[in-house]
Amino acid sequence: GFDLLDTGNADSFEHERTVICYPADGLSAARNVQRVLGVGRLEELDAESSFSPDRITVIVGADLDPDALDTTG
């Protein structure tokens, strides 16, 4: 139920926890992403962020179990 706009690699592969970065008006959507993933620390984007200010960005950490995701739609 989500539109994937882009993928890429994080600056580091040492992330222990998944982080869900969201714009000021995106808390509800970020919580939905967190619910689907089953993990993720929510973090509101600030003016100095390098991420797009109008969409949610997920940094996948070691705590995300890809086998737990339902990708059948």
Side-chain angles (χ1 to χ4, degrees):
F2 299 104
D3 292 327
L4 181 62
L5 300 177
D6 194 10
T7 63
N9 290 326
D11 292 339
S12 163
F13 295 102
E14 303 299 321
H15 295 277
E16 292 294 321
R17 295 188 62 200
T18 297
V19 180
I20 302 165
C21 303
Y22 64 94
D25 63 348
L27 179 58
S28 178
R31 285 184 175 151
N32 285 335
V33 172
Q34 184 184 45
R35 179 184 50 78
V36 169
L37 295 179
V39 296
R41 182 183 79 238
L42 299 178
E43 189 174 292
E44 185 173 348
L45 294 170
D46 60 28
E48 297 178 21
S49 175
S50 62
F51 298 121
S52 175
D54 59 349
R55 62 181 171 188
I56 292 173
T57 298
V58 178
I59 303 169
V60 176
D63 60 343
L64 181 65
D65 178 6
D67 293 332
L69 300 177
D70 177 11
T71 58
T72 60

